[in-house]
Amino acid sequence: QYFLNYNSNKRSIVLDLKTEGGRQLLLDLAPHFDAFVENFGPGVIEQLNIGYEVMAALNPGIIYARIKGYGLDGPYANWKCFDPLAQAAAGAFSITGEADGPPVKPGPTMADSGTGMQTALAITAAWAQKMRTGEGQFIEISMQEVMTMFMRTTGVTQWGREPVKRKGHRGGAPTGMYACDPAGPNDYVYMLISDTRMWDRLCVAIERTDLLTDPRFASGRLRIAHADELDAEIATWTRRHTKFEAMRILCDGGVAASAIYDTLEVLHDPHLRARGFIEEVTHPIEGTITLMRSPLRMSRSNVPLRAAPLLGADTDAVLATELGLSEDAIGALRAAGAIV
């Protein structure tokens, strides 16, 4: 499922780059394509001798991108890295979790996915520059640096002075998460009350206009000072509603709020379904599978969603189309172990 979710609409070709034949095939393909991306562990590209200089000698216009956990130089350059490690090294664990609890690993793979998106943006920028100059270029992306960039707006007033503290779901009062009926593990609604106008709308939406004249909650500072009391007042309302009922009432009333979706609910969300973001496609082995489309919606680039290919499904077609190899030549490469 992991492979299927990340490889829709791609072709798959398998080369054994440790063999001379497989490496040569990659070099033969280099002049036929615009971009090359690698995220092997430290030193692998150097061992295979397929670095930027080698590729650029065959295709001066190539855009060559390298993704590394900590970049290509610096004290950590030779260390292995995975998504959680990049998040930890960027400070993401330190700001996640309750104030009186330990650091918590964020659930989404922000370092992996975020680095991929930043790499795609860099390649797009390099392509636009190539359209003007005709020249390709080398791109280096550090997962730690990408995650650090995502941290820029977190506790921005504290940066450089002291560590940003964990505060759980609390973002003020009554900004935060509230339990809903029927009290399951994800039966909560989150609301963000950004200003006095939103506070007024909240009180109207939950039919508690009496809170507007309650001296304990007469200002933002007072609401924070009496946060526990205010939470109790709001929770009496949220506990009478399911999280989706609360979400609808609050949002229809002009309050910024969302149910706490679990992953199954995301795949069945009527809004995402109505927009066609969640789609069922057919896979040759798995049968009908549920996938997410690209969130990019472009008026002249509407590409139908296709299931991820089987590993190496397009090896023969790519070698025949791009390099003009015959069936016999491809068969000989397979027998030699250069392709799979």
Side-chain angles (χ1 to χ4, degrees):
Q1 193 66 34
Y2 189 98
F3 181 88
L4 299 178
N5 271 297
Y6 280 89
N7 291 286
S8 304
N9 291 63
K10 295 181 181 178
R11 292 186 293 175
S12 175
I13 174 172
V14 179
L15 308 177
D16 186 345
L17 299 178
K18 293 181 180 179
T19 68
E20 185 54 39
R23 177 181 177 277
Q24 187 58 51
L25 283 172
L26 177 65
L27 299 181
D28 291 343
L29 287 167
H32 297 258
F33 295 92
D34 299 300
F36 176 83
V37 182
E38 70 89 10
N39 68 332
F40 289 119
V44 174
I45 284 292
E46 289 76 12
Q47 292 173 6
L48 295 172
N49 191 25
I50 50 173
Y52 175 63
E53 293 77 11
V54 174
M55 292 280 198
L58 300 167
N59 180 359
I62 199 165
I63 298 166
Y64 190 112
R66 300 193 67 179
I67 299 172
K68 291 290 166 283
Y70 302 104
L72 293 172
D73 57 14
Y76 308 161
N78 292 324
W79 293 356
K80 292 182 173 61
C81 187
F82 296 93
D83 176 277
L85 307 181
Q87 293 202 48
F93 283 42
S94 76
I95 63 168
T96 306
E98 295 300 327
D100 57 353
V104 174
K105 182 180 83 68
T109 54
M110 293 179 289
D112 278 348
S113 298
T115 301
M117 289 188 288
Q118 293 296 318
T119 303
L121 180 61
I123 291 172
T124 302
W127 170 259
Q129 184 171 330
K130 179 181 174 180
M131 293 299 94
R132 296 194 300 271
T133 67
E135 299 175 347
Q137 60 182 293
F138 175 77
I139 296 168
E140 176 200 352
I141 306 287
S142 156
M143 293 170 64
Q144 182 195 25
E145 291 171 6
V146 167
M147 273 306 305
T148 301
M149 184 194 70
F150 289 159
M151 296 282 291
R152 287 182 297 181
T153 56
T154 302
V156 64
T157 58
Q158 295 170 263
W159 272 100
R161 295 191 297 109
E162 60 181 350
V164 177
K165 295 179 173 60
R166 289 185 289 284
K167 56 184 178 181
H169 63 81
R170 172 63 73 193
T175 290
M177 191 165 61
Y178 295 89
C180 296
D181 184 65
N186 292 300
D187 286 321
Y188 293 86
V189 66
Y190 185 89
M191 61 185 73
L192 197 158
I193 310 304
S194 58
D195 53 27
T196 300
R197 181 181 298 180
M198 193 79 74
W199 162 246
D200 295 345
R201 288 174 175 171
L202 170 64
C203 294
V204 172
I206 66 175
E207 299 180 337
R208 289 295 308 274
T209 54
D210 59 295
L211 297 177
L212 294 171
T213 56
D214 190 316
R216 296 173 298 172
F217 314 131
S219 70
R221 288 184 180 275
L222 285 169
R223 290 192 286 275
I224 291 174
H226 297 278
D228 291 343
E229 298 161 74
L230 181 53
D231 284 349
E233 298 285 0
I234 293 173
T236 60
W237 180 82
T238 60
R239 287 195 178 96
R240 298 199 304 267
H241 300 275
T242 69
K243 60 186 179 183
F244 291 112
E245 289 171 348
M247 177 183 178
R248 178 184 56 77
I249 293 169
L250 293 171
C251 291
D252 285 348
V255 178
S258 176
I260 304 302
Y261 285 69
D262 63 35
T263 54
L264 186 60
E265 290 164 338
V266 169
L267 289 184
H268 292 282
D269 179 52
H271 179 75
L272 294 179
R273 292 272 176 169
R275 285 174 53 79
F277 180 71
I278 305 295
E279 187 174 329
E280 274 75 34
V281 299
T282 302
H283 186 270
I285 292 180
E286 300 296 330
T288 301
I289 56 175
T290 302
L291 297 175
M292 303 177 192
R293 297 181 62 89
S294 168
L296 306 180
R297 296 173 183 264
M298 304 168 67
S299 64
R300 296 185 184 274
S301 302
N302 182 29
V303 180
L305 186 63
R306 292 186 290 107
L310 299 177
L311 199 62
D314 305 292
T315 300
D316 292 20
V318 169
L319 296 180
T321 302
E322 302 296 338
L323 301 182
L325 298 183
S326 66
E327 288 187 18
D328 290 344
I330 293 173
L333 287 167
R334 183 165 286 112
I339 61 176
V340 178

